[in-house]
Amino acid sequence: MKERDESLADRDAAAAQLAALQADREALADRVLQPWWYDVLLGLLLFGFLASYAFDSLWVTFSALVLFGAGLGALVGVYRRLTGVWVSAGGRVMWVWSGLVVLVLVPALVLSQGFDQHWTTAVAGAVLGVAVALLSRRWGRAYVAELREGL
Amino acid sequence: MTAVAPRFDAVIHPPPRLQVCGLLAAVDTMDFAAVRDTVGVSDSVLSKHVKQLEEAGYVRVHKATRASRLRTSLALTNEGRAAFDAHVADLRRITGG
């Protein structure tokens, strides 16, 4: 009888601990989704950097690269300050993103550098800027849903 | 997905430490202050538990100065992640879930 009571108590305690863990994940889910302007700024930063190639000037591209790096650093810093966490996208999202970059950027760079069609990098920047903003949003929502789904 | 073998872990078991591991398992890194606020303990209590997790090799503590303020962030090590997953699997085994 005593063993049975202890076993029930163990089961209740374990269930309570699992419930507490899930409650924490839900509390985390409430705070981790990035604000909409984070995705917009991310897209604009990437567009600005890639579009700088259209000027065909090393100085413009170098300045844009510095701004791009500083902007990314500031975005990450703001996100971490707002949420207190950092989570990097991995797996499928990164494969999709890498594939898209190759598909869009390689032809644009070939046209830009090989055939003096420098405007193509601005178009590639616009396409990839929109894509990164949408992917970032989608990934953020998927992460929140995963946290809510349970352990 | 490979099933995780249930294994009770005495280091992770106490509620504050289980909570800390649960939060860190869901992120790459989390600020000490955010963990403290979510777990609902004081700085000193959290420090004590983090120290025990760090000594077990389950948690990595990183200190950095950002905007002239010292910020401490916490992350689970691979070993900590494996131990947490096994401990949760053990809780599920007990509940029959």
Side-chain angles (χ1 to χ4, degrees):
Chain A
M1 186 70 176
K2 192 182 169 201
E3 270 179 22
R4 185 175 164 272
D5 286 347
E6 278 175 4
S7 159
L8 285 175
D10 280 354
R11 197 188 310 167
D12 288 347
Q17 287 182 334
L18 286 172
L21 285 173
Q22 185 51 35
D24 283 346
R25 283 174 74 90
E26 282 171 24
L28 198 58
D30 289 338
R31 66 192 289 175
V32 292
L33 186 63
Q34 70 275 26
W36 63 269
W37 49 260
Y38 177 97
D39 302 314
V40 172
L41 285 176
L42 183 63
L44 285 173
L45 281 169
L46 186 63
F47 167 71
F49 170 57
L50 293 177
S52 71
Y53 278 90
F55 291 94
D56 195 26
S57 158
L58 203 60
W59 284 110
V60 173
T61 301
F62 179 73
S63 307
L65 177 64
V66 171
L67 273 176
F68 181 58
L72 277 187
L75 262 187
V76 169
V78 168
Y79 177 81
R80 290 186 70 154
R81 200 164 62 243
L82 286 176
T83 64
V85 305
W86 181 251
V87 189
S88 48
R92 207 168 135 244
V93 176
M94 290 314 285
W95 278 109
V96 170
W97 174 242
S98 305
L100 203 58
V101 168
V102 171
L103 205 68
V104 175
L105 201 54
V106 170
L109 286 175
V110 169
L111 286 170
S112 169
Q113 302 303 309
F115 299 92
D116 281 341
Q117 302 295 311
H118 300 297
W119 57 272
T120 53
T121 52
V123 175
V127 171
L128 290 175
V130 170
V132 80
L134 292 176
L135 267 179
S136 169
R137 197 80 204 144
R138 195 184 161 93
W139 179 84
R141 287 191 174 143
Y143 175 55
V144 167
E146 186 190 314
L147 286 174
R148 292 195 197 285
E149 258 172 30
L151 281 162
Chain B
M1 201 173 113
T2 317
V4 178
R7 186 169 48 85
F8 177 84
D9 193 303
V11 177
I12 291 177
H13 183 61
R17 274 180 251 160
L18 181 64
Q19 264 186 290
V20 171
C21 290
L23 288 168
L24 297 181
V27 298
D28 288 353
T29 66
M30 192 165 185
D31 286 349
F32 182 92
V35 176
R36 177 201 61 206
D37 294 345
T38 310
V39 175
V41 293
S42 65
D43 281 0
S44 58
V45 169
L46 182 59
S47 291
K48 196 180 82 180
H49 288 298
V50 165
K51 182 95 182 150
Q52 280 162 315
L53 289 167
E54 197 183 11
E55 281 170 0
Y58 291 171
V59 164
R60 195 170 37 247
V61 179
H62 180 72
K63 291 175 192 289
T65 306
R66 272 184 262 151
S68 67
R69 286 179 61 191
L70 182 68
R71 296 179 76 122
T72 305
S73 59
L74 311 174
L76 268 192
T77 61
N78 289 337
E79 197 185 350
R81 209 167 277 274
F84 173 74
D85 288 343
H87 189 77
V88 168
D90 195 47
L91 293 178
R92 284 211 189 93
R93 182 191 59 76
I94 294 168
T95 58

